[in-house]
Amino acid sequence: MATTSRLLTLLSLLQARRDWPGSVLASRLAVSDRTVRRDIERLREMGYRIETTMGPDGGYRLDAGAEMPPLLFDDDQALAIAIALRAAPALGADIGEAAVRAFATMRQVLPSRLRHRLDAVDVTMVGRPGDAPASAVSVDVLLTLAQAVRDRVTLRFDYLPRGEGEAQPRRIEPHHLVASHGRWYLLGWDLEREDWRLFSADRVRPRVPYGAPFVPRVVPGGDVDAFVSARFKGADTNEWPCRGTVLLHAPARDVLPFAGDGIVTAVDDKRCTLEAGSWSSGALVASFGRFEVAMEVVGPPELVEAFAVQAERFARAASVASAKGFGASHE
């Protein structure tokens, strides 16, 4: 094996795990221990910080250095990083311009076989209908929150209001950073309110220094994804507070693309049932109404009442509009 190829292989091995006995490296590279020592010195001269470990199986460890040395990735790693960089502007973090530059740099040095595969991935990030524009979050804020989560230290910050008003001081035990639909959130235990809270990261203004270390609590249910999804639904569990079923006079194939997390079941070629959930019965009725077809309530009884309430509300709105002359024909 040529020296250059051997150095690249050695570097790849050192990046794969924390500690390597020298004898194992020599065996992997099919060289002597002395050759491994010389190659380690060459890598150190190139800027890699490689520590010598002591003990009966003394070996080597690749540590972080003061400067960024050249990195080595296999084909799959390089493609994964490049694709992630291309999609980075949609993450809501204020890294769009830096991600574009990093992507261009990486693409320039990719082998042609990988560049052709990467160019075939044309990513267009489109938000869901109804999504509010994502607010860019400072990279410094994200890094500060991530560090507090990693170090398990109490975090103090000012929490900006959605509209006008004074920022509120908060003191929490930060547990997880969560990204959802281009927005970043911080999940933590609020020490003043003695409850779990979800904070929009773009409204967080961290204070330093950090507070005291803490022993992490267990998120209710033990599943961060399920817990946060439940909070988005306004519930304590990952289920909508209100659920109901209607029979829609429309084919299942026409309803499925717009059913969201609802369950569509075909009855025949022209009808289907849709079971769905929402945060209130009124909101559930409104979501069913978007299909603009004849429908029948299957259940529960509360949904029938909600349909009646909404029907009265809409009839009243139409009556007021008619009294004002809206909807009348004009010449």
Side-chain angles (χ1 to χ4, degrees), residues 25 38 72 75 88 176 218 221 225 251 257 289 329:
L25 287 175
R38 286 203 305 265
L72 180 66
D75 288 3
H176 291 84
V218 178
D225 188 350
S329 60

Side-chain angles (χ1 to χ4, degrees), residues 73-321:
F73 302 107
D74 62 30
D75 288 3
D76 290 341
Q77 289 175 321
L79 284 174
I81 293 171
I83 292 172
L85 287 172
R86 177 168 280 189
L91 294 178
D94 190 16
I95 58 174
E97 190 269 340
V100 169
R101 288 190 290 109
F103 173 80
T105 300
M106 174 165 266
R107 184 188 179 282
Q108 183 177 356
V109 300
L110 285 176
S112 59
R113 68 179 187 281
L114 295 183
R115 194 157 53 242
H116 291 318
R117 291 177 62 188
L118 179 62
D119 290 345
V121 182
D122 187 10
V123 181
T124 301
M125 307 300 294
V126 179
R128 297 186 311 174
D131 281 351
S135 300
V137 182
S138 162
V139 175
D140 290 338
V141 169
L142 283 181
L143 292 177
T144 298
L145 300 184
Q147 182 177 343
V149 170
R150 180 200 64 190
D151 295 343
R152 299 176 179 177
V153 290
T154 305
L155 182 67
R156 298 179 303 123
F157 59 85
D158 294 319
Y159 197 49
L160 303 179
R162 295 188 182 277
E164 296 182 357
E166 297 291 330
Q168 298 296 317
R170 310 299 282 265
R171 190 169 63 93
I172 71 162
E173 295 175 353
H175 282 258
H176 291 84
L177 266 179
V178 179
S180 176
H181 298 104
R183 292 181 175 274
W184 289 87
Y185 301 90
L186 175 65
L187 175 64
W189 176 264
D190 192 310
L191 292 166
E192 305 298 335
R193 293 157 180 80
E194 297 187 344
D195 194 10
W196 291 95
R197 289 291 190 271
L198 198 61
F199 302 94
S200 297
D202 60 292
R203 296 163 54 197
V204 172
R205 298 296 180 267
R207 295 183 181 184
V208 291
Y210 299 121
F214 64 89
V215 177
R217 305 167 192 263
V218 178
V219 174
D223 187 328
V224 175
D225 188 350
F227 180 75
V228 173
S229 296
R231 286 300 172 101
F232 286 152
K233 293 176 179 177
D236 291 328
T237 60
N238 193 17
E239 291 289 340
W240 289 109
C242 298
R243 295 193 67 84
T245 305
V246 295
L247 173 68
L248 297 174
H249 289 239
R253 64 177 180 275
D254 294 341
V255 174
L256 271 171
F258 311 101
D261 61 355
I263 301 173
V264 179
T265 304
V267 175
D268 51 40
D269 291 343
K270 297 182 179 180
R271 299 178 302 163
C272 66
T273 60
L274 172 60
E275 179 187 350
S278 190
W279 50 84
S280 69
S281 296
L284 186 55
V285 169
S287 72
F288 287 140
R290 72 186 186 276
F291 290 99
E292 298 184 353
V293 297
M295 68 184 71
E296 304 167 32
V297 179
V298 176
E302 294 81 8
L303 188 60
V304 177
E305 181 180 353
F307 264 96
V309 171
Q310 290 289 59
E312 181 181 352
R313 183 174 296 139
F314 290 153
R316 190 182 309 117
S319 177
V320 171

